C-alpha cells in the first residue's frame, strides 16, 4: 500500500553524500508513491531530482515526459509546455515526439502565448505523410486550440474531422464525440448533445475518467430528447393544421420534391 511504502521510505536516510544511484531510486520511488495517490503536485519535486540524475537518453526523455505530464495535471501549463518542448529536442522515438507535440497544443495557454505558432506546427504535422494514421489526433488538438481561442465554429469543424478520420483509434473517436457532446450540451442543444453522447458511450474507453457519469448523462438525455421530439412533432402538426389548404398542399409538394431529389442523387 502507498501509505506503508511511504512510511518505509521515510525511514531511509538519504543525503547529498549518498550514492547517486540511491538518491535517484529514492526520489523516483517517492514520486511514484505520490502519483499512485494522485498527489501530482507533490510528485514534481522528487521526480525533478530523479530526472537530474538520470543517465542514458531513454531514461532522460521518459522522465522529462513524465515531468511534463505531472506539471500539466498540477495546473502548471507553462512549465508543462516547456518540458514537452525539451522532450522534442531530445530527439526521442517518433511516437514520443508526436505525443509531446500533441500535448503541447492540449495544455497551451492562449492567453499567455502565441496560438498561431502552435496551429502552424499542427498544420505541418497534418501534411507529413508519417502522420497519415494520426490525423484524428491532430484534428482534435486543432479543435481544442480553436475552442480555447473562442473560435467555436472552427473547433466544431475540427472535432468533426477528427471523429471522421478515426478509423482504428476508437478511443480518440470517442473523445472527439465527447467534445462535440459537451459543446452542444452547454449551448444547450439537447437534441444534438444526445446524439453525440450516444456515440461517445459507444466508442470511448470505459476506463476514461468520468465514463459512468457520461453514460448516465447519455441515458438521461435520451429520455429528454424523446419528449422534445413529441413536442416538436405536435408543434409542427399544429402549424400545418393552421395553414390554408393551398399552403398545406404546397408544403406537402415541397417535401415530396425534396425526397424525390434526394433519392435521385
Amino acid at each position: 500500500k502507498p501509505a506503508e511504502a511511504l512510511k518505509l521510505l521515510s525511514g531511509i536516510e538519504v543525503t547529498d553524500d549518498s550514492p547517486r544511484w540511491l538518491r535517484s531510486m529514492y526520489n523516483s520511488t517517492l514520486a511514484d508513491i505520490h502519483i499512485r495517490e494522485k498527489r501530482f503536485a507533490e510528485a514534481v519535486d522528487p521526480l525533478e531530482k530523479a530526472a537530474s540524475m538520470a543517465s542514458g537518453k531513454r531514461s532522460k526523455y521518459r522522465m522529462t515526459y513524465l515531468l511534463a505530464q505531472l506539471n500539466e495535471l498540477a495546473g502548471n501549463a507553462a512549465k508543462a509546455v516547456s518540458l514537452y518542448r525539451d522532450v522534442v529536442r531530445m530527439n526521442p522515438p517518433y511516437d514520443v515526439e508526436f505525443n509531446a507535440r500533441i500535448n503541447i497544443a492540449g495544455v497551451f495557454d492562449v492567453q499567455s502565448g502565441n496560438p498561431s505558432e502552435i496551429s502552424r506546427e499542427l498544420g505541418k504535422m497534418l501534411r507529413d505523410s508519417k502522420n497519415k494514421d494520426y490525423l484524428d489526433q491532430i484534428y482534435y488538438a486543432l479543435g481544442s486550440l480553436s475552442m480555447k481561442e473562442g473560435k467555436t465554429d472552427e473547433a466544431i469543424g475540427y472535432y468533426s474531422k477528427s471523429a471522421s478520420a478515426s478509423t482504428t483509434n476508437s478511443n480518440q473517436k470517442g473523445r472527439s464525440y465527447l467534445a462535440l457532446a459537451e459543446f452542444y450540451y452547454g449551448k444547450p442543444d439537447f437534441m444534438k448533445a444526445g446524439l453525440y453522447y450516444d456515440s461517445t458511450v459507444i466508442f470511448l474507453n470505459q476506463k476514461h475518467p468520468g465514463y459512468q457519469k457520461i453514460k448516465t448523462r447519455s441515458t438521461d438525455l435520451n429520455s429528454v430528447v424523446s419528449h422534445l421530439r413529441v413536442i416538436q412533432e405536435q408543434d409542427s402538426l399544429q402549424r400545418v393544421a393552421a395553414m390554408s389548404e393551398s399552403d398545406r398542399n404546397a408544403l406537402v409538394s415541397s417535401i415530396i420534391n425534396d425526397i424525390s431529389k434526394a433519392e435521385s442523387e
Side-chain angles (χ1 to χ4, degrees), residues 11-237:
I12 302 173
E13 186 177 352
V14 177
T15 67
D16 292 341
D17 296 326
S18 299
R20 184 184 179 92
W21 65 266
L22 178 59
R23 284 181 284 142
S24 177
M25 185 175 291
Y26 174 88
N27 283 292
S28 60
T29 304
L30 181 58
D32 183 57
I33 292 171
H34 288 317
I35 291 169
R36 290 173 187 272
E37 293 285 275
K38 300 189 184 303
R39 295 195 295 263
F40 303 119
E42 292 177 54
V44 170
D45 182 63
L47 190 62
E48 282 181 341
K49 292 175 180 175
S52 69
M53 292 178 275
S55 59
K57 176 181 173 179
R58 186 169 183 270
S59 292
K60 286 180 179 178
Y61 74 68
R62 287 183 68 198
M63 284 198 172
T64 305
Y65 191 98
L66 181 54
L67 262 176
Q69 289 180 306
L70 284 176
N71 276 278
E72 181 178 349
L73 290 167
N76 305 323
K79 183 65 174 178
V81 168
S82 176
L83 287 164
Y84 281 130
R85 291 202 181 282
D86 287 344
V87 172
V88 172
R89 284 191 285 268
M90 290 177 181
N91 195 28
Y94 187 68
D95 62 327
V96 177
E97 178 187 340
F98 175 87
N99 283 304
R101 291 185 183 278
I102 290 293
N103 289 348
I104 286 171
V107 73
F108 189 78
D109 182 2
V110 297
Q111 303 300 322
S112 59
N114 182 8
S116 60
E117 179 185 347
I118 306 296
S119 184
R120 281 195 299 271
E121 288 183 25
L122 292 171
K124 287 182 182 179
M125 292 170 70
L126 276 177
R127 296 187 292 273
D128 191 331
S129 60
K130 292 197 298 290
N131 297 327
K132 64 180 181 179
D133 294 328
Y134 309 114
L135 297 181
D136 52 350
Q137 295 180 60
I138 301 172
Y139 281 130
Y140 182 85
L142 282 164
S144 298
L145 193 64
S146 296
M147 192 63 79
K148 289 179 184 178
E149 293 182 85
K151 301 175 181 177
T152 54
D153 289 344
E154 187 176 279
I156 294 307
Y158 283 132
Y159 286 142
S160 299
K161 285 182 178 180
S162 173
S164 299
S166 290
T167 55
T168 58
N169 189 344
S170 61
N171 191 54
Q172 178 58 67
K173 186 184 284 287
R175 291 177 67 209
S176 301
Y177 280 133
L178 178 59
L180 290 164
E182 289 179 338
F183 171 76
Y184 285 113
Y185 186 83
K187 281 185 76 69
D189 183 336
F190 294 141
M191 300 283 279
K192 285 185 178 180
L195 292 172
Y196 284 122
Y197 272 117
D198 280 349
S199 298
T200 299
V201 170
I202 292 170
F203 292 104
L204 193 65
N205 190 313
Q206 294 186 19
K207 294 181 180 178
H208 182 88
Y211 178 85
Q212 288 304 318
K213 182 179 179 181
I214 292 167
K215 189 174 181 180
T216 299
R217 177 169 288 179
S218 175
T219 302
D220 291 344
L221 277 175
N222 282 335
S223 176
V224 171
V225 168
S226 67
H227 290 299
L228 288 174
R229 284 182 178 141
V230 170
I231 293 168
Q232 285 187 350
E233 181 180 333
Q234 292 301 317
D235 285 348
S236 297
L237 290 172

